Structures are given as C-alpha cells and as structure tokens.
Amino acid sequence: MIDTSTIDATAREARGSDFARLSRRVTDAGLLDRRPGYYALRFGIVAALLAGGWAAFLALGDSWAQLLVAAFLAVVFAQVALVAHDLAHRQVSRSRRFSQAAGWLAGNLIIGMSYGWWMDKHTRHHANPNHEDHDPDVSPEVLVWSHKQAATSRGVARIIGRWQAFLFFPLLTLEGLNLHLASFRALRRPRLKHRGLEATLLTAHVVTYLGAVFAVLPLGKGLLFVAVHQAIFGVYLGCTFAPNHKGMPTLTGEDRLDFLRRQVLTSRDVRGGPAVDIALGGLNYQIEHHLFPSMPTPNLRRAQPLVRAYCAELGIPYHETGLISSYTQALRHMHAVGASIRAGGAAGAASARRQT
C-alpha cells in the first residue's frame, strides 16, 4: 500500500483538476504533436540494422562468429519491440489502422510476439501500474512483488521468491522464449481480435526464423545461435522495463489515488543522457510516458522539467535515479519481499529438526 502522508493537503482537495492543468501545460507546449521526421529516421535505422544483421548471418555461413551476430540481432530485435511499443501507444500516428498494421509487422512477423496480446496486457498495466489486483506485470506467477504476495505465494513463486533477487537476471534469459509462448497461447483466447491474421504472422516468423538458422548452420551451432539470441533478447527487454516500476510502491484496492498520483508515485525516471535514451527507447522517462502515453518519444525529455516542476508545486514525490541505482533499488526490494518466505522456510526447517 502506498503512503500518501507526504502529499500536500491542499493538493489532495483539488485532485480532480490536477492532471487537467498539467495536460493543458503540456498541450500548450506542443509536446503532444506528432514527430514524423524522428520516427522515419528511427524506423530507417532499425530496419537497416535488422537487414545488416541478417546479411552478416548469411555471409558468415557455418562459423562460430555467428554467436556475435546472434547477440547483435538480439539487440536489434529489442529495438524493434520498442518501436512496436510506440506504435501501440499511437505515438507514431494517430491512425489506429496504420498503428495496428505496422504493429503486426514489427511484433508478430519480425520478432514473433503477438501485437494484440501485448497491447491488451500493456494497456491494463498503464491503467493500474503496480496494482496488485489489476496490473499483469506484477502478477505473482513466478516472482513476488509485495509482502502480501509473498505471504500468500504458492508453488513456483514461493520456491523462487526466497532468492528472487539473485535469480532475476538469470530468469530474464528465458523471457524471450516466454514472450513467444505467451503469444501463441493468447491465440486461444476468444477476446483476441484478428486471431487468424496474428496466428499466420507468428507462424511465418517461426518458420522463416528457424528455417534460415538451420539452413545455414548445423544443428548444434543452430541451437546455440537460437539460445544466445533469445537469451540476450530477453535480458535486454527485461533490463529495459525493470527500472520503470520494480521496487516502487505497489497499490491495492485500499488505495484511492487520482490518475496523476497513481502514475507518478508508482514510476521512476532513469537519467543518463542520450545513450540511455536510445538504449531504453525513451522509457527511462517513465513518469512522463505514463502520464502521456501517446507523447512521441523525443518529446518525453522536453516534458520532464515541466512535469517535475508541477509535481513539486503539488508536493508529489518525483523519483529519478541513475540506471545502475534503478536496478539496485529493484533488486533490494525483491530481496526484502522474499525475506518472509526465507524466514518461513528457516522456521519450518528448524521445526522439523526439533521433531526429529
């Protein structure tokens, strides 16, 4: 549960209009205007890198140097995923049809991740970030994110939860595979629209991807190529999204926060300059992105001073940290959450020894 005691009392009385006033300032500054030139350049660079990576793969042939290509393509795949993210939020174009078609191309066909499934999941996350009951990104299926979840954890989550801070990055090596499997599982859901098209594009990705790998590489090297590629892809994506909310306060049904506070208090920004902006696809401005999901990526940096100053006016804590510190905070939180599981296990073992 989030502690709202530090929020200014006067601001709390005016919650209904707080975000509206900020939105007007952002709109007046032109920060919600489309940036077609930026996205044309970004799409062009990512497409060139993708084509160059596969060209290098074909040119190298049966070589152990292909593992370097696998690592390179993993980074490019993650950048394609970040492009799909921007498309889903209509940062690139206000057209639903264009955004959806481009999202299917980038998500389903190029990287093998269901655009429709991910968009549904991510929309629910944005509506209720870090909410234990409504945010699918803090579902305690494998990891636990709060003391309440730790207390009620069962099965895999309870086993892993004991030492989840140490297992977090190793588990991310499986995230790429998990995204592919989750995409295919989602095809069974009636509420997923355009299931036939999504299934066709996902299948085309798998057939083309595996066909290319094993047409060029023998079985052993091919399997190792896939393993390296998918592992680094998963770690990169996990490292892109983990700094944003992990270790920040979680919400429950007892918390009653307006939109502005719900988004700001559960998110953190990550500073680091242009290199971090590129590596994280602009998601290091997570507070601004959650407040204005359709804001084009290059405008997030410009919006940050405005949002930070506005939060200061209202007495709302605005959290920003460095990249390494963001991971440290997330891991410390995960380790602290797992303490009750470790204590329970130790108590159980001690009880068993006394009985013997």
Side-chain angles (χ1 to χ4, degrees):
M1 184 184 305
I2 199 164
D3 179 9
T4 60
S5 61
T6 59
I7 299 176
D8 181 81
T10 303
R12 278 181 282 183
E13 294 175 1
R15 282 181 176 179
S17 60
D18 285 345
F19 177 71
R21 288 196 295 271
L22 174 61
S23 182
R24 284 194 295 272
R25 296 184 188 184
V26 166
T27 303
D28 291 344
L31 297 176
L32 295 179
D33 295 346
R34 301 303 93 185
R35 296 289 298 274
Y38 163 83
Y39 279 108
L41 177 61
R42 181 176 170 186
F43 285 12
I45 291 174
V46 172
L49 292 173
L50 182 67
W54 284 116
F57 173 80
L58 294 174
L60 279 174
D62 183 2
S63 168
W64 287 109
Q66 292 284 22
L67 298 185
L68 296 176
V69 177
F72 174 79
L73 283 173
V75 173
V76 177
F77 268 44
Q79 286 294 322
V80 174
L82 291 171
V83 165
H85 168 271
D86 287 10
L87 287 164
H89 284 296
R90 299 192 194 176
Q91 296 178 15
V92 183
S93 169
R94 291 188 175 90
S95 168
R96 182 187 65 82
R97 182 172 296 181
F98 170 84
S99 300
Q100 189 174 54
W104 284 329
L105 174 64
N108 293 59
L109 186 60
I110 295 179
I111 63 174
M113 183 179 71
S114 168
Y115 175 78
W117 161 75
W118 181 86
M119 186 172 179
D120 173 70
K121 173 177 175 288
H122 195 62
T123 299
R124 288 184 284 129
H125 158 71
H126 264 264
N128 292 283
N130 268 22
H131 195 292
E132 295 183 26
D133 301 320
H134 304 302
D135 184 356
D137 288 353
V138 293
S139 174
E141 295 177 359
V142 177
L143 302 172
V144 291
W145 303 105
S146 71
H147 294 288
K148 178 183 175 182
Q149 290 181 346
T152 58
S153 61
R154 297 289 183 273
V156 174
R158 190 162 188 83
I159 294 171
I160 293 178
R162 289 180 172 86
W163 304 106
Q164 60 183 9
F166 298 97
L167 296 172
F168 180 67
F169 286 107
L171 285 172
L172 285 182
T173 61
L174 302 175
E175 181 60 18
L177 178 61
N178 176 58
L179 290 173
H180 300 314
L181 294 176
S183 295
F184 276 98
R185 287 197 300 268
L187 297 175
R188 301 196 301 264
R189 302 176 185 173
R191 72 178 184 180
L192 179 67
K193 298 178 180 179
H194 310 288
R195 285 189 292 170
L197 176 60
E198 293 231 10
T200 299
L201 293 174
L202 286 173
T203 302
H205 166 81
V206 172
V207 171
T208 304
Y209 173 77
L210 294 180
V213 169
F214 292 108
V216 172
L217 298 175
L219 181 62
K221 285 181 182 176
L223 290 174
L224 190 56
F225 178 94
V226 171
V228 169
H229 178 231
Q230 295 300 319
I232 296 177
F233 173 55
V235 171
Y236 189 167
L237 277 186
C239 288
T240 298
F241 287 92
N244 305 336
H245 303 280
K246 306 312 181 190
M248 296 301 291
T250 55
L251 305 177
T252 68
E254 300 174 23
D255 295 301
R256 296 289 185 268
L257 298 178
D258 67 322
F259 178 80
L260 177 66
R261 289 160 179 78
R262 186 164 69 247
Q263 303 299 337
V264 174
L265 295 174
T266 59
S267 307
R268 72 161 65 84
D269 275 16
V270 178
R271 56 178 172 265
V276 173
D277 292 359
I278 294 171
L280 301 187
L283 295 182
N284 44 313
Y285 302 104
Q286 190 67 193
I287 294 173
E288 290 71 27
H289 170 60
H290 260 256
L291 290 171
F292 303 98
S294 65
M295 180 181 291
T297 292
N299 290 351
L300 294 171
R301 172 186 280 272
R302 295 169 54 202
Q304 186 187 48
L306 191 155
V307 173
R308 184 165 46 202
Y310 186 73
C311 288
E313 289 179 26
L314 299 183
I316 301 174
Y318 180 102
H319 192 67
E320 182 183 18
T321 186
L323 182 62
I324 301 302
S325 178
S326 70
Y327 295 127
T328 301
Q329 291 173 28
L331 293 175
R332 284 177 177 169
H333 171 79
M334 293 172 67
H335 193 61
V337 166
S340 62
I341 303 178
R342 294 192 298 274
S351 176
R353 286 195 298 270
R354 285 195 297 270
Q355 291 175 7
T356 57

